[in-house]
Amino acid sequence: MNPEAILPASILYGTLLLALTAYAILGGADFGAGIWEFNTSFRSHRRDRQLLREVIGPVWEANHVWLIFVLVILWSAMPRVFQHLCVVMWLPLLLGLAGIVCRGAAFIFRAYSPVENSVTRASTVLFGLASTAAPFFLGTVVGGMLTHQANDPQSSQNAWLNPLAIYSGFFGVAVCLYLCSVFLFREAGLRHERFLMEIWRSRAMLSGVWTGLLAMAGLAFISSEQPEIASRLIWGDSPLVLLSWAGGMFSMVAIYFRWPLAAVLASVLAVAAVLWGAGLAVSPATMIPEIPLDQLVAPPSVLWAMLVAIAGGMLLLLPSLAWLFWLFKSSSALDHEHLAHSSHP
Amino acid sequence: MAICSIPTCTCFESHPVDSLLIARWQMAFTLGSHIILACLGVGLPVLMLAAEWFSLRTNDPLWRALAHRWSKAFAVLFAVGAVSGTVLSFELGILWPKFMGTFGSVIGLPFTLEGFAFFLEAIFAGIYLYGWNKLPPRIHWWTGVPIALSGVASASFVVTANAWMNAPRGFTMRDGVVIDVDPIAAMTGPTAAVQIVHMLLAAYMVTGFLVAAFYACVLWNKPTCLYSRKAMVLALWMGTLASFPQGLAGDWAAKTVARTQPIKLAAMEGQFKTETGAPLRIGGWPDTTTRETNYDLEIPYALSILAYGDPHATVQGLDDFPRENQPPVVVVHIAFQIMVGLGTLLMALGGWTILSWWMKWHPADNRWVLLAIIASGPATVLAMEAGWVVTEVGRQPWIAHNVMRTKDAASQIPGLEWLFLATLAIYLALFAGLTIVLRLLAVQPIPTSSNLSFNPAASDQSSLS
């Protein structure tokens, strides 16, 4: 590989993983809201459902731009990887895409329709279904990339139809449920809704335990199916799996003792560490061995130009994003609003 | 995201339906749908900011109601536009894997920048739409400004990538692999500036005339509705102000095409044979067997003047190029006539708007004018789509002009026709839902000054209290 390209390519791969992590956490929690609504639709009360919608309203659009960001970095910095991914994973990508399209449209139609009608009713059903389908299929893409079958162009039909990929789909859905419930545990607390906080506390415990069990089963599964990846994942250079385990465990403790912010941070750590572990266990080079590495990444001039663009863009993006989250997710801004509401009933 | 191909007329002949053709239809359909939403995403924030500005200046509740109403419409259109844009970024790879695999790095910089512009748009859309009651009025107005600016920026960057496809440069290839890239040169090709200006003006025209047409429909039945009169005039001014520079931008675009893609110019003008002092052909039907354009109105020397600024300049004809490199001339020529014809009529409507302002007439008081405004909505969309047909079909058979053929870029995945049918069904549902929700928003009673509190997600919030 062109030695000049190694440094910028590594930084960009790191950026890509960071963006993917942001999407998995923020977009994942968004999907989780739809999955929870879908799963509790017959026994949740109105305020429960309202909170779900209220919480994602201002931020869901921004949360999903991370996906565009991931795609753009991928095709610009590693065009051949993008090409390969699209050729072997076209079906789960399209199915996940259909989910993204349907849930986005359904959410906005329901939120902005001034009256209850057939569109809003159809949207409610579609929102739940599509919110579940999208992380499932995107999860199978990640799982499919982890398995070596993606290497064989002959098996392009089956690149995602293997046990590990299907497992990853279910794991993706579980992660979304877990993240969302922990986040909503905090959000309900911010709004001083004791009752909802308790509901989300038990949901968070339940989905946390379930996701943890699923993760352990998955590790055992990978160890038997892909021992090489498993050894890198578990005993690799950095103990990321251990970190994830610790994060998950601590989030359970924090939920039990009702420390919302600590629970949120710990759950984020748990999910991020899994992704980083997977990201370091498989590099683009091991994924597509038939293409020489120097053809896999873009020329250094492009990589550096992108890094400059990303650095400059982040100067605008990060403060704006921080403001958005401060306005709608911070305790002080919400407390202010809460007081304003209670003083003008 | 303005990329790739639009189908040729071959599908109307007894041609076997191949996957290339379906991939092109798929791209054309999704892109053609997205582009309308994208135009509104660029234009509506300007209208919404203008209305809020007037409301801050005058304290008129009608302006405030309009700003609320338009911001809700923007929220719905932006969300649907965002998902249909996501579709396109997936499709680039799924339908055209070879193109993205080979040239993804070359057009990577504008797309990276576009990613940031879109991100900022989404962030400030969240702040603006949900911040009506959270932020002081002036600060709230300012949070809308980045929406309008990043809309312009993201449209510009996407069009830059398309401009590269029309005039590829800034890279060296060896054995089919891009080895050296100058990303700035790739971004600043000869067609980039003119395409950006042409597209942005089109976006403002589409928004202006489409919104004006909607309120003209309301005024047709209720000509005294003050709210609709204000809304229609404001939108009409936006279309008007964009339509005049668009004429100049169109001329600039034609001159650029003459320089960079003479074969496309020949197809646009139905010019089969190379000619010195070529006439401008208005209308007509290019006959591909006799190789001449019939039933047209010819203005002597005008094409040579318009394209090269010299009545005796030589204009290359299609037959100067190998047959396999020629774009489908009928589609390109007709689409070009539609765009120019409708653009001229829209400019005439703009002229009437200026005259009526001068004479202190109100457009809502004249039924004929109202009818013209109603027609201008679909007309401006049609003109914009026709313009895209010209630039995309006119580039065929190339996906990147003279560098890669569309057929070599296309995907080999099976069952593309099912994908196309599924897409048609999903988009049909999407646009039906969009129409219903927008209509419901539009027919809500106008809030009076005693009832001005505004909640963006009204259905959610109203049940709260």
Side-chain angles (χ1 to χ4, degrees):
Chain A
M1 182 174 176
N2 185 351
E4 287 169 53
I6 290 175
L7 178 65
S10 311
I11 305 176
L12 271 172
Y13 187 57
T15 316
L16 184 79
L17 277 182
L18 271 180
L20 192 65
T21 312
Y23 180 60
I25 288 167
L26 298 167
D30 257 15
F31 284 132
I35 309 172
W36 273 116
E37 198 191 296
F38 187 40
N39 280 290
T40 58
S41 52
F42 294 113
R43 47 204 168 85
S44 60
H45 62 77
R46 207 184 59 191
R47 180 63 200 136
D48 190 5
R49 291 193 295 274
Q50 272 168 359
L51 181 71
L52 271 172
R53 300 171 195 186
E54 213 176 285
V55 161
I56 63 175
V59 292
W60 76 274
E61 199 92 71
N63 288 347
H64 283 274
V65 184
W66 287 110
L67 176 64
I68 307 271
F69 201 67
V70 168
L71 285 180
V72 167
I73 296 182
L74 189 64
W75 87 47
S76 313
M78 290 163 250
R80 297 293 290 272
V81 179
F82 180 64
Q83 178 184 353
H84 185 78
L85 187 71
C86 286
V87 169
V88 299
M89 296 289 181
W90 62 273
L91 189 55
L93 281 175
L94 282 175
L95 291 170
L97 181 63
I100 291 170
V101 169
C102 291
R103 90 178 285 278
F107 181 78
I108 205 80
F109 289 166
R110 188 177 61 181
Y112 281 86
S113 180
V115 290
E116 177 90 17
N117 58 10
S118 56
V119 174
T120 58
R121 283 189 292 273
S123 294
T124 299
V125 177
L126 200 59
F127 179 65
L129 279 173
S131 295
T132 316
F136 176 81
F137 289 114
L138 295 180
T140 62
V141 173
V142 174
M145 294 305 277
L146 274 169
T147 57
H148 279 293
Q149 261 155 304
N151 293 331
D152 183 7
Q154 300 307 316
S155 70
S156 66
Q157 297 305 305
N158 306 321
W160 65 293
L161 285 180
N162 61 68
L164 189 61
I166 302 293
Y167 159 79
S168 306
F170 283 107
F171 187 62
V173 174
V175 164
C176 295
L177 274 173
Y178 162 65
L179 280 172
C180 175
S181 55
V182 179
F183 286 16
L184 271 145
F185 170 59
R186 174 172 176 266
E187 296 267 0
L190 290 181
R191 289 170 173 75
H192 306 285
E193 311 234 18
R194 290 262 159 241
F195 177 61
L196 283 177
M197 207 176 158
E198 288 311 307
I199 290 181
W200 283 109
R201 178 167 169 264
S202 56
R203 285 176 185 167
M205 298 289 286
L206 191 72
S207 58
V209 170
W210 166 242
T211 311
L213 288 176
L214 205 57
M216 276 193 264
L219 270 184
F221 189 39
I222 296 177
S223 305
S224 68
E225 292 269 304
Q226 306 275 339
E228 199 197 332
I229 289 183
S231 69
R232 261 185 290 169
L233 206 58
I234 303 168
W235 314 113
D237 308 329
S238 42
L240 284 164
V241 167
L242 213 63
L243 197 66
S244 168
W245 184 81
M249 279 300 174
F250 183 72
S251 78
M252 290 291 106
V253 174
I255 290 163
Y256 182 79
F257 287 108
R258 297 188 176 80
W259 304 326
L261 189 62
V264 165
L265 295 177
S267 66
V268 166
L269 179 72
V271 176
V274 168
L275 266 178
W276 279 77
L280 295 181
V282 286
S283 67
T286 60
M287 239 149 39
I288 317 170
E290 74 268 19
I291 302 175
L293 198 58
D294 57 344
Q295 289 185 15
L296 219 51
V297 296
S301 56
V302 175
L303 299 176
W304 284 115
M306 283 177 64
L307 281 174
V308 171
I310 290 172
M314 284 295 170
L315 286 180
L316 283 175
L317 179 77
L318 291 179
S320 317
L321 205 57
W323 193 30
L324 176 75
F325 276 89
W326 183 82
L327 269 179
F328 298 102
K329 299 286 161 212
S330 75
S331 53
S332 54
L334 280 169
D335 261 347
H336 184 72
E337 198 185 5
H338 182 71
L339 288 175
H341 270 297
S342 49
S343 60
H344 305 287
Chain B
M1 297 196 180
I3 290 288
C4 295
S5 52
I6 279 177
T8 68
C9 63
T10 50
C11 53
F12 300 119
E13 295 159 15
S14 58
H15 215 266
V17 177
D18 54 305
S19 63
L20 170 65
L21 201 62
I22 301 172
R24 296 172 70 188
W25 271 111
Q26 169 85 18
M27 197 71 198
F29 174 69
T30 45
L31 194 57
S33 314
H34 174 70
I35 206 165
I36 302 172
L37 300 166
C39 283
L40 289 164
V42 170
L44 262 184
V46 177
L47 279 184
M48 152 184 119
L49 282 174
E52 195 185 359
W53 174 259
F54 288 129
S55 113
L56 288 174
R57 291 273 310 252
T58 61
N59 249 335
D60 184 340
L62 282 184
W63 281 123
R64 188 164 163 80
L66 256 183
H68 284 172
R69 200 57 70 82
W70 281 343
S71 75
K72 284 185 178 185
F74 168 73
V76 179
L77 288 161
F78 179 71
V80 179
V83 292
S84 66
T86 311
V87 171
L88 291 173
S89 48
F90 274 91
E91 278 181 351
L92 285 179
I94 289 172
L95 297 177
W96 316 104
K98 194 77 194 305
F99 173 71
M100 292 309 287
T102 313
F103 298 114
S105 61
V106 187
I107 52 174
L109 187 59
F111 275 120
T112 307
L113 294 167
E114 193 269 347
F116 277 103
F118 180 48
F119 221 137
L120 285 174
E121 198 173 353
I123 291 171
F124 281 95
I127 295 177
Y128 183 88
L129 294 169
Y130 287 82
W132 284 96
N133 300 328
K134 273 182 180 279
L135 297 165
R138 285 198 181 273
I139 306 258
H140 182 259
W141 186 83
W142 277 104
T143 62
V145 174
I147 305 178
L149 292 180
S150 47
V152 167
S154 71
S156 305
F157 290 130
V158 168
V159 172
T160 303
N162 179 269
W164 180 87
M165 296 163 74
N166 283 324
R169 63 198 53 231
F171 63 96
T172 336
M173 284 189 89
R174 194 196 295 146
D175 308 328
V177 177
V178 168
I179 49 166
D180 193 23
V181 177
D182 180 349
I184 303 294
M187 256 184 89
T188 50
T191 52
V194 62
Q195 276 197 252
I196 290 172
V197 172
H198 203 39
M199 185 68 239
L200 287 176
L201 289 171
Y204 291 127
M205 282 176 74
V206 165
T207 311
F209 288 120
L210 210 53
V211 173
F214 172 80
Y215 289 101
C217 288
V218 177
L219 289 168
W220 186 261
N221 295 322
K222 289 188 291 183
T224 55
C225 173
L226 195 58
Y227 171 85
S228 302
R229 286 166 77 104
K230 274 181 193 290
M232 186 183 78
V233 171
L234 183 62
L236 197 56
W237 269 107
M238 182 152 117
T240 299
L241 291 180
S243 67
F244 289 99
Q246 187 68 300
L248 297 175
D251 178 57
W252 181 17
K255 286 186 166 66
T256 311
V257 169
R259 200 154 41 84
T260 56
Q261 295 168 285
I263 189 169
K264 187 189 272 185
L265 183 79
M268 281 155 62
E269 303 290 354
Q271 183 83 38
F272 284 100
K273 295 185 178 54
T274 299
E275 206 171 342
T276 302
L280 184 69
R281 295 178 184 79
I282 296 172
W285 190 271
D287 188 330
T288 47
T289 45
T290 61
R291 312 299 290 169
E292 51 191 29
T293 300
N294 305 316
Y295 319 113
D296 57 330
L297 178 72
E298 295 194 1
I299 304 174
Y301 302 109
L303 180 56
S304 289
I305 297 172
L306 280 175
Y308 300 101
D310 170 10
H312 300 292
T314 306
V315 176
Q316 268 188 301
L318 281 169
D319 292 343
D320 250 22
F321 300 89
R323 194 53 86 87
E324 72 269 17
N325 287 355
Q326 293 180 13
V329 57
V330 179
V331 177
V332 179
H333 179 71
I334 300 298
F336 184 63
Q337 302 304 309
I338 291 175
M339 175 185 75
V340 174
L342 290 177
T344 311
L345 290 175
L346 289 167
M347 219 190 288
L349 182 61
W352 194 91
T353 307
I354 292 172
L355 180 74
S356 67
W357 168 71
W358 190 260
M359 304 295 287
K360 294 193 167 51
W361 298 330
H362 197 284
D365 298 331
N366 185 326
R367 302 292 271 182
W368 289 108
V369 175
L370 219 45
L371 206 60
I373 296 173
I374 291 171
S376 78
T380 177
V381 174
L382 188 60
M384 188 259 305
E385 299 279 8
W388 271 107
V389 170
V390 170
T391 191
E392 296 301 278
V393 181
R395 196 188 54 244
Q396 300 305 319
W398 304 99
I399 190 165
H401 188 62
N402 283 343
V403 174
M404 182 184 269
R405 283 176 192 276
T406 313
K407 68 174 163 57
D408 298 331
S411 155
Q412 302 298 319
I413 58 175
L416 264 182
E417 61 274 21
W418 293 106
L419 173 64
F420 184 46
L421 288 177
T423 311
L424 277 179
I426 292 178
Y427 273 54
L428 196 68
L430 205 63
F431 276 83
L434 183 65
T435 316
I436 294 173
V437 173
L438 286 179
R439 263 197 64 84
L440 282 175
L441 282 174
V443 299
Q444 285 293 293
I446 298 152
T448 56
S449 49
S450 61
N451 172 27
L452 271 178
S453 74
F454 176 73
N455 277 317
S459 61
D460 281 16
Q461 311 262 331
S462 57
S463 44
L464 263 178
S465 44

